[in-house]
Amino acid sequence: MLTGLLNLSCLGLGYIVLRNWIGAALCWAATAALLVLALPADVDGVPAGLLIGYGVFLLLVAADGARRGLRATLSLGASFRRLALPLAVVLLAVPAGGSLAYGAARDEAKEQALLERLSAADAQVKSADGLAFDKAEPILAKALDAYEDLGTNKAGSRAGKLVPARLDAYYESVSAPYRNKTYCEAIAPLKHLRGLDGTFDKELLGARPAKTDEPLAHSLYECGTSALGVYTATPAAEQSLNELYDTFPKSSHTTRVEPAVRAAIKTRTDALDSGTTPCDTTNELRTLRRSLQAVSDAALDGATREAKEAVQRGDFACGTDQFKDKDYDNAAKTMTEYAKEYPDSPQAAHARSIAIAAEIADEEPAAGKSLPPATVPGGSRMIMVVSNDGPGEVELLYTGPMTGKVTLKTCTTCTKYPGPILSQGKKIKACTGPSSKYPKATLLLPAGDYHFLQKRVSTGTSTAGDTKTSKAKIEPGYSYTNCLYVTSGF
């Protein structure tokens, strides 16, 4: 029996007493194999099958040792016999103590593995620094999964107890764009932090999501107002402002929007008065107006009307500036569009005059020396009768003290006159037939110098774009005639 107990020590001591060196060697080999497979301790521990096998082996060698001991004659002294049994019992503590020590080592290995997992999540958060948020978000999601699992399922571990501090650091890291005052970049990260309340463990998060309300409202305000009038802004002003009104209707930042919008309008309206770049300023006002029209909150209705009026004012200033800069083609387009878009404007008639003068000046630059007057001068008017001695309807544009245009119908019986080559230098005698033959228009013009541009539409004998410029001096007390005709060019 004693040798059986000694064999339970895992060291084959019973076999040593019996001098069964082969049995002892087998015990040593089995124990050594177990130690090689079990050490160092890891998270998963020793496979259960290995432990069961080793336990069965110990029971078998204990039973074998007891059997052999009953048959063997041991030459042991009385003192040894008295100590052998207590020694065997004490030696049983070796496997038990080893098991406890191994369990403690395994638990430490588990703690270290959890700490390593926590460190890996920390590294993921750090690696997302500086990335655009759409690229950083998938990386951050993996870190959050690790934090949540450690903080809930492994809450009692050393790593689990560190999760709240890590969440504080996570919020600090992800909200960095707000602290750096890059407000547009801060919106997506702050929305992410605020939205964790619906996807992450609420007990772990605590009050952290609610603390993002103020930074997010501030960022939406700053991003939205800074984008006013900026055509290329991303996100557009209306996107940020609509989100501010919808998400934080009672925020102090929401009440700041209307004054900021009015200030943006005034700044650009004042810039129109300086006349430096009125067309660029008008484009900004048009973009600003479009943004305000897309904002659903009624608080900006008044500012929207101001922006609309500012755009109208800017359109006129832009067309005027284009004319002064001798950009006659664009001036004509701008002022023609102005007259169509604002027919009830007091400046609509002047815009039409500028468009006409610009069209003439595009062909005859001398006609653009100065803007047409905003009002028609008073005083006497002189008659000018204009006749159409040519095929195709013709439009006559004129500018001087007075600007305007008339359209004369086609002369159905008229043809082109021979050009310089075919006429052999003979003087053209236009409009010499019966007066009733030629379509006519009568102009009443104040005295002064005028520039004319005739534009003829296409017919079978004339082509679209036939134009001709001329000028005349209208003096008081005289009447005038103007005959419009076409030559062949040969």
Side-chain angles (χ1 to χ4, degrees):
M1 189 68 179
L2 176 62
T3 54
L5 288 174
L6 288 172
N7 274 353
L8 284 176
S9 66
C10 309
L11 299 176
L13 295 178
Y15 285 132
I16 294 174
V17 172
L18 295 171
R19 290 181 172 81
N20 183 348
W21 302 112
I22 294 176
L26 287 174
C27 289
W28 296 338
T31 300
L34 177 66
L35 292 175
V36 169
L37 293 173
L39 298 177
D42 60 20
V43 175
D44 297 326
V46 180
L50 180 62
L51 290 176
I52 293 171
Y54 186 73
V56 170
F57 173 78
L58 285 181
L59 291 175
L60 288 175
V61 298
D64 182 62
R67 179 182 63 81
R68 290 175 183 272
L70 291 174
R71 296 178 181 180
T73 302
L74 302 174
S75 56
L76 300 173
S79 298
F80 181 81
R81 289 179 180 276
R82 286 194 302 269
L83 294 174
L85 184 60
L87 177 63
V89 173
V90 169
L91 288 175
L92 287 177
V94 172
S99 177
L100 292 174
Y102 182 81
R106 184 185 60 188
D107 290 342
E108 179 60 23
K110 288 182 179 179
E111 288 286 356
Q112 289 300 321
L114 294 177
L115 288 170
E116 288 175 6
R117 188 179 175 197
L118 182 67
S119 295
D122 295 342
Q124 287 175 324
V125 174
K126 187 174 182 180
S127 70
D129 284 349
L131 295 178
F133 189 72
D134 59 339
K135 291 182 171 58
E137 191 169 17
I139 302 172
L140 295 174
K142 294 178 182 178
L144 282 174
D145 289 342
Y147 288 152
E148 185 171 27
D149 182 57
L150 292 171
T152 53
N153 299 326
K154 307 292 188 298
S157 67
R158 295 205 299 271
K161 293 174 182 178
L162 293 173
V163 168
R166 292 302 196 275
L167 287 176
D168 289 337
Y170 181 86
Y171 268 72
E172 187 80 4
S173 174
V174 176
S175 61
Y178 176 72
R179 293 194 306 278
N180 296 335
K181 298 183 179 181
T182 53
Y183 297 109
C184 292
E185 292 179 19
I187 292 174
L190 289 172
K191 287 170 66 176
H192 160 76
L193 294 175
R194 186 171 184 263
L196 288 180
D197 190 45
T199 59
F200 200 87
D201 184 84
K202 295 183 185 298
E203 187 174 345
L204 267 179
L205 283 176
R208 292 180 184 88
K211 293 179 180 178
T212 61
D213 285 0
E214 167 67 16
L216 179 55
H218 186 198
S219 295
L220 288 169
Y221 165 80
E222 294 289 352
C223 185
T225 53
S226 66
L228 289 170
V230 182
Y231 180 76
T232 57
T234 303
E238 62 268 24
Q239 181 178 336
S240 300
L241 296 180
N242 272 326
E243 190 167 355
L244 175 60
Y245 277 115
D246 294 341
T247 310
F248 305 106
K250 296 182 180 180
S251 167
S252 61
H253 297 293
T254 304
T255 60
R256 297 171 61 197
V257 173
E258 193 260 354
V261 169
R262 290 184 183 274
I265 296 171
K266 185 178 186 304
T267 297
R268 290 165 174 82
T269 304
D270 291 345
L272 291 176
D273 295 333
S274 69
T276 307
T277 56
C279 293
D280 290 343
T281 302
T282 302
N283 287 333
E284 292 178 12
L285 284 166
R286 187 173 286 107
T287 300
L288 196 156
R289 180 189 64 182
R290 185 166 53 248
S291 294
L292 295 182
Q293 289 172 335
V295 176
S296 56
D297 199 277
L300 297 182
D301 287 351
T304 303
R305 287 191 294 272
E306 287 184 15
K308 182 178 179 181
E309 293 169 359
V311 169
Q312 178 178 338
R313 179 177 172 182
D315 283 338
F316 191 86
C318 175
T320 300
D321 188 67
Q322 288 169 333
F323 189 95
K324 292 178 179 178
D325 289 343
K326 304 187 186 308
D327 184 6
Y328 299 121
D329 184 52
N330 283 321
K333 292 175 182 176
T334 300
M335 287 311 201
T336 298
E337 185 61 31
Y338 180 94
K340 288 180 180 178
E341 190 169 351
Y342 311 110
D344 298 329
S345 167
Q347 293 177 304
H350 193 201
R352 283 189 287 269
S353 295
I354 296 174
I356 292 170
E359 193 170 354
I360 298 171
D362 202 34
E363 296 288 337
E364 177 52 66
K369 292 179 69 174
S370 61
L371 280 170
T375 57
V376 178
S380 60
R381 304 289 183 88
M382 273 53 73
I383 295 174
M384 173 179 280
V385 178
V386 184
S387 303
N388 182 15
D389 183 5
E393 185 177 87
V394 64
E395 187 176 57
L396 180 66
L397 287 68
Y398 57 92
T399 185
M402 180 176 176
T403 301
K405 62 181 178 180
V406 293
T407 302
L408 289 83
K409 294 180 180 180
T410 184
C411 177
T412 57
T413 60
C414 299
T415 60
K416 291 184 177 182
Y417 286 91
I421 296 175
L422 296 179
S423 65
Q424 297 180 348
K426 295 180 181 178
K427 186 176 181 180
I428 295 174
K429 297 181 179 180
C431 297
T432 56
S435 176
S436 59
K437 173 182 176 180
Y438 309 108
K440 291 181 171 56
T442 301
L443 306 179
L444 298 175
L445 303 176
D449 293 326
Y450 287 83
H451 291 273
F452 296 91
L453 172 66
Q454 68 177 63
K455 297 166 55 182
R456 194 172 296 274
V457 301
S458 62
T459 65
T461 57
S462 67
T463 58
D466 278 346
T467 60
K468 183 179 180 182
T469 60
S470 59
K471 57 185 178 180
K473 183 177 181 64
I474 304 299
E475 297 182 355
Y478 291 88
S479 59
Y480 299 85
T481 60
N482 191 350
C483 182
L484 310 180
Y485 59 91
V486 185
T487 59
S488 63
F490 297 101

